Amino acid sequence: MPTTEALGKALLAQARNAIAGALGLPVATAGDHPLLSERGACFVTLTLAGELRGCIGSLNAHRPLGEDVRENAIAAAQRDPRFPPLDAAEFAQIEIEVSLLEEPEFMEFHDEADALAQLVPGQDGVIFFNGCQKATFLPQVWEQLPDRRSFMAALKQKARLPADFWGPNVMLARYRVHKWKENCRGG
């Protein structure tokens, strides 16, 4: 999927407008782009004063990208279980980042060391599967966890498994993203 600054601006505008509408606040004119009507998968990340305030997304393209970004923006603001719902006062202070996912690809590996050696820090988003347990980290998480082993240990803990867990049913998929972030809003 070709990506442009125009697409990024449209995605960010769609996300901000969706949250504003959900909070009953005025909605600005939303940017439009032809790719918003094509199937796509994205994550919407909200930060407040540089700290995570919500992050929800889709791993697979199952609906039009415009709908995906709007639904994920509202979910990140109101339904991320790690945070209380965003309020109108916080809305003016949040920064929004939209990550457009490329199609995930399953990895082939012999053991955990082999899997870790294949990962590209800073570029690969990773989905960890073990039976019904699943978790993902966007490539941006490498900024906080640059060591492959620490990254994987935290991802396993996110899947509600011990940091040192490894088993025969483990599957991994990786993906890349194109991301856009709003300019600093101040505050």
Side-chain angles (χ1 to χ4, degrees):
M1 175 178 285
T3 59
T4 64
E5 282 307 307
L7 175 59
K9 287 180 182 179
L11 287 167
L12 290 168
Q14 293 279 331
R16 183 159 285 279
N17 281 341
I19 297 168
L23 292 171
L25 299 171
V27 176
T29 302
D32 197 14
H33 193 280
L35 293 179
L36 293 177
S37 62
E38 295 185 17
R39 288 162 65 105
C42 71
F43 269 73
V44 176
T45 304
L46 308 178
T47 55
L48 183 64
E51 297 293 321
L52 182 65
R53 182 58 179 83
C55 183
I56 300 284
S58 303
L59 292 170
N60 301 101
H62 64 282
R63 57 188 169 192
L65 180 57
E67 180 183 345
D68 199 60
V69 72
R70 289 187 300 271
E71 292 297 323
N72 290 335
I74 293 168
Q78 298 184 335
R79 295 189 296 276
D80 186 323
R82 299 169 290 182
F83 303 98
L86 189 79
D87 62 35
E90 291 174 307
F91 176 74
Q93 304 300 318
I94 62 165
E95 289 182 13
I96 300 173
E97 180 176 271
V98 177
S99 300
L100 178 60
L101 277 64
E102 294 181 358
E103 189 69 29
E105 297 179 358
F106 280 95
M107 298 172 59
E108 293 186 24
F109 48 85
H110 305 291
D111 55 22
E112 185 174 14
D114 183 26
L116 292 174
Q118 293 180 45
L119 295 177
V120 180
Q123 294 182 25
D124 287 337
V126 181
I127 310 167
F128 179 95
F129 301 89
N130 183 64
C132 295
Q133 294 159 301
K134 177 170 87 169
T136 191
F137 277 157
L138 293 169
Q140 295 91 307
V141 174
W142 289 103
E143 295 168 15
Q144 286 81 45
L145 298 166
D147 172 72
R148 288 178 174 101
R149 193 161 297 285
S150 299
F151 182 93
M152 185 62 66
L155 183 57
K156 290 184 270 188
Q157 289 175 317
K158 186 177 180 185
R160 295 186 174 96
L161 292 164
D164 62 353
F165 176 85
W166 197 260
N169 296 325
V170 169
M171 296 189 313
L172 299 174
R174 63 181 162 186
Y175 56 90
R176 303 276 169 98
V177 302
H178 303 276
K179 64 180 181 168
W180 298 271
K181 187 170 186 172
E182 290 179 325
N183 293 331
C184 234
R185 300 189 69 83

